[in-house]
Amino acid sequence: MTSQWRARTGRIAVLTGAGISTDSGIPDFRGPRGVWTKDPIAELLSTYQSYVSDADLRARAWLARRDNPAWHAVPNPAHNSLADLERAGRAVTIITQNIDRLHQRAGSSPDRVIEIHGNMFEVVCIECDYQTTMAATLERVAAGEPDPPCPDCGGILKAATVMFGQQMDHRTLTKATITAEASEIFLAIGTSLQVEPAASMCSIAVGSGADLVIVNADPTPYDVMATEVVREPIGTAVPRLVAEILAA
């Protein structure tokens, strides 16, 4: 029976995508009202080669970062319930594709959140080791620099996020893979499971004996290997599932 997975007492891994943050006012990317669905050109802002080769695109990207709704977003019941799972003493690690840090703001321990796509609150140079905060760089944009260069080497600055076409951090990916392999329960929440290597964490977990539970409004390529698929809205489904895990 599908309910039996709730009684497993081992490690819990959670993979979260953009869908978990939509109730916080941050639109997803591929959904019916997604950022890329409504404006396909916006996807170029997340494509590394386009970004580094087009100064006008970079200027647009800085404005998009300035206007990102994540600056004012607050954690929703799904984020909060995952933090409650950790506070209740369960061994839970979150692998997130999101860059909004809402998991940490909900109370999940920073060392229990693996940001496989980086975060939007820091800025790095693609040429040297320069790093700074996004807030400091946006102050330069507001002061009249539409595409602020690196103050150390003159190189291109970007958010500390992993863009399409950009290599992921090997250590972060290894940590996520080990987390998936060690899990007994693997929850995939609000992700289309179309972007690799994040999506492959599902098959890694299942291959190591975990029960896969997918919470997503639309079908995913990994539904066929899931122990349970939940189409219920994330804001109600995740708190319910967490409560059932703790009750079991």
Side-chain angles (χ1 to χ4, degrees), residues 42-182:
E43 188 169 356
L44 292 176
L45 302 181
S46 298
T47 304
Y48 185 74
Q49 189 56 47
S50 298
Y51 182 84
V52 300
S53 63
D54 190 335
D56 290 337
L57 189 68
R58 291 197 298 274
R60 178 176 173 180
W62 288 113
L63 295 180
R65 291 164 183 147
R66 179 198 66 187
D67 298 334
N68 194 313
W71 288 109
H72 309 290
V74 296
N76 63 56
H79 298 106
N80 294 332
S81 62
L82 291 176
D84 289 340
L85 191 59
E86 179 186 339
R87 281 189 284 262
R90 293 303 300 266
V92 55
T93 300
I94 298 171
I95 305 167
T96 186
Q97 297 173 271
N98 299 337
I99 61 174
D100 53 36
R101 290 202 162 161
L102 288 179
H103 287 298
Q104 294 92 321
R105 288 156 67 185
S108 292
S109 300
D111 62 352
R112 305 298 297 179
V113 179
I114 303 172
E115 297 174 320
I116 58 174
H117 290 164
N119 73 84
M120 61 170 280
F121 299 96
E122 298 170 357
V123 168
V124 297
C125 176
I126 69 170
E127 301 291 344
C128 72
D129 294 331
Y130 175 79
Q131 297 183 36
T132 189
T133 65
M134 179 62 71
T137 309
L138 290 178
E139 287 180 1
R140 293 177 60 186
V141 175
E145 296 183 76
D147 178 26
C150 174
D152 287 355
C153 74
I156 294 172
L157 296 180
K158 64 179 289 294
T161 58
V162 179
M163 293 179 156
F164 287 117
Q166 186 178 11
Q167 188 172 9
M168 293 182 64
D169 179 72
H170 176 71
R171 290 171 298 180
T172 301
L173 183 57
T174 298
K175 187 176 180 181
T177 301
I178 292 172
T179 296
E181 290 175 339

Side-chain angles (χ1 to χ4, degrees), residues 3 6 37 51 73 87 98 109 124 195 198 209 214-215 240:
S3 62
R6 293 164 172 79
T37 303
Y51 182 84
R87 281 189 284 262
N98 299 337
S109 300
V124 297
V195 177
I214 296 176
V215 185
R240 176 179 60 79

